[in-house]
Amino acid sequence: MNKINYITGMALIVLSLSACTQQANQTADNQTADQPETPCAEEAVPEGGEWLTLFDGQTLAGWRGYCMDSIPAGWVVDDGNITFKGSESTVNPEGGDLIYDRAFKNFILEIDWKIDKAGNSGIFYTAQEVKGKPIYYSSPEYQLLDNENMPDAWQGVGGNRQAGAVYDMIPPVPQPVKPYGNWNHTKIVLYKQHVYHYMNDTLVLDFKLGTPVWKALVDKSKFSKFSNDPEKCPDAYELMLDCGKNPGYIGLQDHGYGVRFRNIRIKDLDQ
């Protein structure tokens, strides 16, 4: 596929993602004109019960490594934050990512994060533990990035690798991220496979898992099964198509760069 056709195809997919944020006439699952519109933002999402605190500000109680029973090297509690030390650690090829040891299917997650200069990290959700496969094979990634100094911000298509994006799939619009060294507030809502990404109290994208549009996005991404490019991950294809069908883990990424997290809490919408 030539570059012009690829970019054009991605643009058409992004334009069709959401009746709310894109003011489209169809929803992500091909709603017809005589059907009611998809509710905007969180109209269809229940308030849920009590907030569950995932980080007590002092210990990593409740957390462990992906496919591990212990905490991976590099993760510590520092000054009341979950901190990955960056240059003091290296990415563990068997999985240095951190997960909360309880699976959720429908939820509202809130978390604050601060990235180092030229840093790159992510928040995973719906993740499944698959032995021998990295966490990002079975989970959308809410991208955390220093957009100004990390070259990955200009890769991908249309900003789909910038902060707040569904990594390598959907760009955030608008882009309200604060520069490195500043705290950003993220909210991720997942209800009945409909996902909303917020950053600093702004809705930056929404989409629905398990739809033809989601499949088209996976087909165009690094997880496509249609490429032998060594930088792509075609063996993640079926796992990515299954995202959101089952309860999954919340994860914090070890990408080898310094990052901090605080004020982590969740509402389980299935209770």
Side-chain angles (χ1 to χ4, degrees):
M1 179 181 294
N2 65 47
K3 186 173 182 181
I4 293 176
N5 287 340
Y6 176 83
I7 293 174
T8 301
M10 283 300 300
L12 291 172
I13 291 170
V14 170
L15 285 173
S16 67
L17 281 173
S18 164
C20 300
T21 58
Q22 303 297 333
Q23 301 299 311
N25 291 323
Q26 289 186 317
T27 64
D29 43 356
N30 297 328
Q31 179 179 28
T32 60
D34 58 350
Q35 291 176 312
E37 288 188 351
T38 298
C40 291
E42 293 183 46
E43 289 179 16
V45 178
E47 292 185 6
E50 298 294 321
W51 286 103
L52 170 66
T53 299
L54 302 190
F55 172 51
D56 62 15
Q58 299 179 335
T59 71
L60 288 171
W63 296 84
R64 62 179 175 84
Y66 170 76
C67 288
M68 295 181 180
D69 295 323
S70 58
I71 301 296
W75 292 101
V76 298
V77 176
D78 179 55
D79 195 26
N81 308 309
I82 293 180
T83 302
F84 187 78
K85 289 290 190 175
S87 61
E88 297 180 20
S89 306
T90 57
V91 176
N92 182 342
E94 296 182 357
D97 303 306
L98 200 64
I99 63 171
Y100 189 76
D101 194 17
R102 175 178 161 185
F104 300 90
K105 186 172 184 179
N106 297 291
F107 60 84
I108 302 171
L109 174 70
E110 293 191 354
I111 183 169
D112 294 340
W113 57 275
K114 179 168 63 174
I115 199 86
D116 283 0
K117 185 174 182 179
N120 185 342
S121 186
I123 302 168
F124 300 108
Y125 51 94
T126 80
Q128 308 297 309
E129 287 190 290
V130 183
K131 193 72 173 178
K133 303 295 183 184
I135 190 172
Y136 57 82
Y137 273 34
S138 64
S139 170
E141 178 185 343
Y142 184 115
Q143 174 79 318
L144 308 182
L145 203 75
D146 171 11
N147 286 351
E148 295 180 3
N149 299 290
M150 165 49 75
D152 205 37
W154 296 282
Q155 297 178 11
V157 177
N160 68 0
R161 294 189 178 184
Q162 295 184 5
V166 178
Y167 174 74
D168 207 47
M169 294 191 193
I170 311 172
V173 180
Q175 175 52 270
V177 71
K178 297 177 183 177
Y180 75 90
N182 289 273
W183 286 103
N184 289 275
H185 178 68
T186 282
K187 180 167 73 170
I188 300 170
V189 180
L190 194 162
Y191 185 65
K192 295 183 177 178
Q193 295 191 282
H194 202 145
V195 182
Y196 308 87
H197 281 194
Y198 291 82
M199 183 159 40
N200 298 322
D201 301 317
T202 299
L203 178 64
V204 296
L205 62 85
D206 69 273
F207 66 100
K208 197 165 185 179
L209 297 164
T211 64
V213 169
W214 175 248
K215 181 179 182 299
L217 287 163
V218 176
D219 287 344
K220 297 289 185 180
S221 75
K222 68 180 290 181
F223 309 108
S224 171
K225 69 178 180 180
F226 303 110
S227 174
N228 293 319
D229 186 331
E231 294 186 0
K232 292 188 179 290
C233 313
D235 49 340
Y237 185 74
E238 297 299 332
L239 289 169
M240 292 301 295
L241 294 185
D242 284 343
C243 286
K245 293 182 180 179
N246 300 296
Y249 294 103
I250 305 296
L252 307 178
Q253 186 179 37
D254 162 7
H255 207 310
Y257 301 91
V259 63
R260 292 173 177 263
F261 301 93
R262 68 181 187 186
N263 298 332
I264 310 173
R265 63 180 189 170
I266 196 166
K267 281 188 178 183
D268 187 344
L269 301 180
D270 292 315
Q271 290 189 344

